[in-house]
Each structure stands twice: as structure tokens, then as C-alpha cells.
Amino acid sequence: LAKTTQPISMDSYEGQEVNITCSHNNIATNDYITWYQQFPSQGPRFIIQGYKTKVTNEVASLFIPADRKSSTLSLPRVSLSDTAVYYCLVGDTGFQKLVFGTGTRLLVSP
Amino acid sequence: GAVVSQHPSRVICKSGTSVKIECRSLDFQATTMFWYRQFPKQSLMLMATSNEGSKATYEQGVEKDKFLINHASLTLSTLTVTSAHPEDSSFYICSARDPLPGQTYNEQFFGPGTRLTVL
């Protein structure tokens, strides 16, 4: 499983766009990039997954450059309820074990 | 999406007692479930992979005799913390993958977690 590196924490204000970048230099050809969100005292929740270019859903967008050695989770117009820890994980679709890195603790202020 | 439940959500026990935590997949069958432990302000740490009908696979450094895992059915896995001590106090989370046919991505569904406090 490829190792990932993310900023430990980020601060933002309500209404701003937040971009969290994850580095995964050793990503393999079959690996996908997946992001999870975790609120305090809750289990993680799947946000988005992608392989290359751009993926968008109702919650976020995921930007993946051509070399796939990094990815950026973009949260449009964050609100206070987006305060959480965001984890970037890398692995192939067949993999089952999830190895969580340190995650990025996002704090959204009024 | 699929739902995974855990019971209990919180448990407080005395040192030396054993505690059982249940993890259920409510609307799908899961041949494989996973157990994680999370200490305050830290990331999730995978403890073991629970396989229906067979022995669990433990991660390095996790004592299999202390953390007993049983996966007796396709919807239920249990984690028993035996002879619990204060250092076992943590947030225990389970997860399961819903192996839908043709699913191209690997989304795992997590339970809400169980807060264990050992006095």
C-alpha cells in the first residue's frame, strides 16, 4: 500500500473553498485514491474516489494530475459542519485493508 | 449506502473484566470485516481482519489472545477485549465492504464506533 502524506491541519472560514493536497509518490498503476471524512467520536465516512483527472460528486471534487503522485480534495464553500479530519488513502480496488495516515484536521471558523 | 452498526456505543468496565463489542452489517452480507482502534487525536490503527468462518488475521503487534475476534455469520463480527486494563481504553471501530457485483471502487462502510473506558 502506497504511503500518503498530508498536512496535519488546516484552518478556513465559512464560505471559502478548501483544498487539501495529499502526496503519494509511490502510487502503483492499479491504485485508486480515496478520501474519507471523520467527525469526532464517529467512524470515517467515504467522500470520494478517483483514478485520474477529475472526479466530482455532490460533496467534493478530487483533482489528480497526470503523474498521479498527488491528489487534491476540494471542498467548495465550507461550513462549520465540515470541521473534521480528512484522510487520503491509496490502494487498488481489490484491496481490502485500509491503512490510515495521519489525516488533515480541518477547522472551519465563522 | 450500506449500514454498519456497533453495540454498545459506550462501555465502562473494571480492570480485569472482558468486554464484547458487536459489529453488524445491517443490509448486506460481509465475508470480511475489519477492526480498528483509535486513541484520542490519533489516526485509526488497523487491528485485525475478521473473516467469516475462519480465523482472524491480526496486524503485527496486536495480541490475538487479548483481542478475540469471532465472525460467526455473514452479518456479525465480535471483538472481545479480554482482561481489559486502562491502557485498552480507546475508540474501537469496525468496517465492512459491500461487495456489490460490478462495483468498481472499494468503499468501506464504518460503524459508529464503541468508546471503551477501563477503570
Side-chain angles (χ1 to χ4, degrees), chain B residues 59-102:
Chain B
E59 295 299 305
Q60 190 173 9
V62 178
E63 300 175 56
K64 61 180 180 181
D65 294 331
K66 177 157 185 70
F67 298 100
L68 301 179
I69 292 173
N70 183 278
H71 196 152
S73 78
L74 288 172
T75 59
L76 174 63
S77 175
T78 60
L79 168 68
T80 301
V81 183
T82 63
S83 187
H85 291 283
E87 57 266 30
D88 298 322
S89 297
S90 187
F91 192 52
Y92 292 87
I93 309 170
C94 71
S95 74
R97 184 175 172 220
D98 185 4
L100 294 174

Side-chain angles (χ1 to χ4, degrees), chain A residues 32 34 36 38 40-46 49 87 92-103 105, chain B residues 10 32 34 36 38 41-44 46 49 59 91 93 97 104-113 115:
Chain A
Y32 278 68
T34 310
Y36 282 83
Q38 185 183 27
S41 297
Q42 294 186 27
R45 182 177 71 118
F46 174 92
Q49 184 180 76
Y87 294 97
D92 66 56
T93 56
F95 84 97
Q96 297 193 49
K97 283 174 56 171
L98 294 181
V99 178
F100 285 79
T102 57
R105 192 172 298 272
Chain B
R10 292 178 177 272
T32 304
F34 304 89
Y36 297 82
Q38 186 175 33
K41 303 294 185 182
Q42 294 188 22
S43 184
L44 286 78
L46 179 65
T49 302
E59 295 299 305
F91 192 52
I93 309 170
R97 184 175 172 220
T104 58
Y105 61 90
N106 180 49
E107 178 179 350
Q108 283 199 17
F109 298 92
F110 287 80
R115 175 77 58 193

